[in-house]
Amino acid sequence: TGVVEAKQNRDVMTLDIPNAFVQTSVPQDGDKIVMKIRGTLVNILCAIFPEVYEPYVTYEGKHKVLYVLMLKALFGMMVASILYYK
């Protein structure tokens, strides 16, 4: 942690790899990662590519929902860091 390094007078370096998670593929031979999209984003996706997304829109009550299979890791996914590390 930063406090320990500072107290021990250590040098610290950080590194950021641009789009690291976007470049990381999700293996398709094991567990699948499905993302649930709802609200305004469903409407935007359907407006941009109706032939791609509209056939897969479902409703939960009055709300449009779209379930997508993840092919690439996404920042914030619990498994994204592990996939990138591997």
Side-chain angles (χ1 to χ4, degrees):
T1 65
V3 174
V4 173
E5 282 82 6
K7 181 71 175 169
Q8 295 177 352
N9 222 16
R10 295 183 182 185
D11 292 327
V12 176
M13 181 181 90
T14 61
L15 173 70
D16 182 28
I17 300 172
N19 297 316
F21 296 121
V22 177
Q23 299 173 30
T24 305
S25 295
V26 174
Q28 297 300 306
D29 56 351
D31 292 336
K32 305 293 185 216
I33 299 175
V34 178
M35 181 170 67
K36 179 180 180 180
I37 302 172
R38 57 186 175 182
T40 305
L41 186 54
V42 175
N43 295 331
I44 293 170
L45 290 170
C46 289
I48 295 171
F49 295 110
E51 65 281 355
V52 173
Y53 294 106
E54 283 183 354
Y56 302 102
V57 173
T58 60
Y59 286 85
E60 291 182 357
K62 297 178 183 178
H63 304 284
K64 289 183 179 179
V65 177
L66 186 62
Y67 292 93
V68 296
L69 181 63
M70 300 299 294
L71 302 178
K72 298 284 185 176
L74 184 66
F75 183 78
M77 289 173 43
M78 292 174 58
V79 72
S81 298
I82 295 168
L83 289 172
Y84 177 75
Y85 178 76
K86 290 182 178 179

